[in-house]
Amino acid sequence: MKRMRFILPVVVCLLLFTAIFTGLLGTDPHAPQFVPVQTQPSGPFKAMFYNWYSVVPVQGGRVWFWTVPAATNGHTQHFLYELKSHRVVGELLNGAPIFANSDQTKLLCEGYSITESLKWKLIRWLQKSSFGRLSQKLNYEQAFWVLDLRNNSAVRVGKVTQAVGSGSSFIPSPGFRFGYNEPSTAKDGELFLCDLESNLFTKIKIEGRPLGWWDGHTILFRDHPNNFSLYDVVTRRTNTVITSAAIATCLQKLNLPDDTADITAICHWNGTDNDILLTKSSEKNWGECFMLKVDRNDLSLKLLYRDFKFQWLGRLDGDCTHYIYEGESGKPGRGGNGGVYLRNLTNGTTLTLVEPDNGGYSLASFCDGGVIYSRKRLLWRVDLDGSNNAPLIRESPR
């Protein structure tokens, strides 16, 4: 413990010195930057990934992806790919992209953190000492920057703390001005809100469980009486929009199970806004259940599907008439077979877009009249009829 009493003041002093030094320089050499590409990247890559887990992985015909280099001394690169031109248009340096605003002039990034960098130096020192076990319990910090792509200027806006071995992601609002994050270390209902318009990063509190965005500035959440309520991030006001009793009445009229305790909402991006779909929380990952849609005009509930079959990692298209999902090589969630399947919900037919190869999960998403997916370490795109199946980037020979 004597060592720790000595180390912590030193770390604090280093933090202050670094912050002052950076301020005197006026610029931060670690700040994110966007660089237009001169030549197309060609690898070889150990792997390529994209933000499949994002509610809008493809925004405005563009998708961010990152590569893991084949060489051991290489580094991860983040590229912006334009689907229409079939080209990489730029690279993000010193950061990882999260989401951009509507005209893609501002980009929220995860980037360099002075305190986290120094903490890792401390952890490496602890791992060599008798305090090695203590280093395994330290939380880690994520620092966030807003990069203005018009003049390539970046400002650090905030940070969150995550528990070791866990994490969270930002959920962007329709309109892409706001995004919220619920860190793994947060207390119940505690969220961090980023405003790309004003470069503000603030902590907010919601009395319930956040489910997504109702509209461009309102978060939908399930409150403690099991009603669906809204939290306006601009006015900071809350109001109930659909009561648990109203849901139960609707379910009874439709001759559906009327237990509302298990009902959850899916805030589904339709290309311009979010549709609010209601179903059972216990079935939405792998199961069969009804699906209701909220009518925004009168807040009534319309039956969309009576017996919808959810598949592992499945996704609906914008108008909820088609559904893509993974093939399974074993029990749900235990491993994908590499296949991509398209179910037509209007006639009940299923098309195999990509034949299985036992290569794991394909992580497929709808994008601009086709589907983007992962296979054999690369990202591919295929049309909705199974044609034009090709990788986004063709690798150079090893």
Side-chain angles (χ1 to χ4, degrees):
M1 295 305 296
K2 290 182 178 179
R3 287 183 178 179
M4 291 298 294
R5 290 172 186 162
F6 172 76
I7 288 293
L8 290 178
V10 172
V11 170
V12 172
C13 290
L14 286 173
L15 288 174
L16 291 173
F17 174 77
T18 306
I20 293 172
F21 184 69
T22 301
L24 292 174
L25 288 177
T27 59
D28 190 334
H30 299 289
Q33 283 187 306
F34 181 77
V35 180
V37 299
Q38 302 299 320
T39 58
Q40 293 295 294
S42 58
F45 306 121
K46 186 177 180 180
M48 294 173 62
F49 303 96
Y50 76 112
N51 288 334
W52 176 88
Y53 50 82
S54 172
V55 293
V56 190
V58 180
Q59 183 182 351
R62 293 179 168 188
V63 58
W64 284 97
F65 72 87
W66 67 95
T67 65
V68 178
T72 56
N73 59 348
H75 63 280
T76 301
Q77 294 178 279
H78 295 84
F79 296 106
L80 180 60
Y81 185 89
E82 191 174 71
L83 291 162
K84 185 176 181 180
S85 65
H86 307 288
R87 291 181 59 83
V88 170
V89 296
E91 180 181 359
L92 180 65
L93 307 178
N94 301 330
I98 300 176
F99 74 92
N101 61 352
S102 58
D103 60 6
Q104 300 193 47
T105 57
K106 281 188 171 184
L107 179 68
L108 179 64
C109 314
E110 181 181 351
Y112 179 77
S113 165
I114 296 173
T115 54
E116 186 66 10
S117 176
L118 290 173
K119 181 187 289 184
W120 275 106
K121 292 179 181 180
L122 173 61
I123 287 174
R124 284 192 288 269
W125 179 86
L126 287 171
Q127 288 173 341
K128 298 177 182 179
S129 70
S130 58
F131 297 102
R133 292 185 178 180
L134 176 63
S135 66
Q136 299 173 4
K137 300 180 180 181
L138 294 176
N139 294 334
Y140 68 96
E141 177 184 292
Q142 290 179 296
F144 300 102
W145 300 66
V146 173
L147 173 63
D148 192 321
L149 298 171
R150 294 166 294 190
N151 54 23
N152 227 359
S153 63
V155 57
R156 188 177 184 274
V157 293
K159 64 180 181 179
V160 301
T161 301
Q162 303 282 8
V164 175
S166 61
S168 60
S169 58
F170 272 89
I171 310 297
S173 66
F176 301 98
R177 173 183 172 180
F178 300 102
Y180 74 80
N181 189 315
E182 187 177 15
S184 55
T185 58
K187 299 176 182 178
D188 289 344
E190 185 178 81
L191 306 176
F192 287 83
L193 179 74
C194 181
D195 181 351
L196 287 183
E197 183 176 295
S198 59
N199 293 350
L200 290 178
F201 195 91
T202 54
K203 184 188 295 186
I204 59 176
K205 176 73 173 178
I206 291 178
E207 298 301 328
R209 179 165 54 89
L211 299 170
W213 291 90
W214 174 269
D215 58 26
H217 57 89
T218 312
I219 297 173
L220 176 68
F221 68 98
R222 195 80 191 266
D223 63 23
H224 297 301
N226 281 333
N227 301 315
F228 287 96
S229 296
L230 302 178
Y231 177 87
D232 192 314
V233 300
V234 176
T235 65
R236 305 299 169 92
R237 294 178 179 174
T238 299
N239 68 286
T240 298
V241 63
I242 303 174
T243 65
S244 180
I247 297 174
T249 299
C250 175
L251 294 175
Q252 290 170 2
K253 289 181 178 179
L254 293 171
N255 196 27
L256 294 169
D258 60 358
D259 179 12
T260 62
D262 191 33
I263 301 298
T264 190
I266 300 173
C267 298
H268 171 63
W269 175 247
N270 62 23
T272 57
D273 208 336
N274 278 347
D275 288 326
I276 309 302
L277 311 176
L278 302 186
T279 189
K280 285 189 175 183
S281 178
S282 58
E283 302 293 329
K284 69 183 183 71
N285 291 323
W286 180 275
E288 190 167 331
C289 185
F290 59 83
M291 185 182 291
L292 306 176
K293 182 178 178 180
V294 178
D295 188 321
R296 289 182 176 273
N297 294 320
D298 58 9
L299 299 181
S300 62
L301 304 179
K302 310 296 183 183
L303 181 63
L304 199 59
Y305 299 107
R306 182 172 292 273
D307 298 298
F308 184 85
K309 180 63 181 75
F310 289 93
Q311 305 283 159
W312 185 252
L313 306 183
R315 290 201 173 211
L316 287 161
D317 66 351
D319 57 7
C320 298
T321 59
H322 292 81
Y323 186 68
I324 53 172
Y325 59 93
E326 311 273 338
E328 290 288 339
S329 58
K331 293 182 179 180
R334 298 292 180 87
N337 66 14
V340 180
Y341 303 91
L342 175 68
R343 185 191 306 156
N344 188 326
L345 300 174
T346 62
N347 58 26
T349 60
T350 299
L351 173 67
T352 301
L353 285 183
V354 180
E355 292 289 344
D357 67 347
N358 296 319
Y361 289 122
S362 56
L363 301 178
S365 297
F366 286 103
C367 69
D368 294 355
V371 169
I372 185 174
Y373 69 97
S374 176
R375 167 164 287 201
K376 295 180 179 178
R377 304 175 293 103
L378 299 178
L379 294 179
W380 297 60
R381 185 197 174 278
V382 60
D383 288 344
L384 293 180
D385 60 1
S387 63
N388 297 317
N389 190 11
L392 298 188
I393 294 178
R394 296 190 181 275
E395 283 189 304
S396 298
R398 291 180 180 269

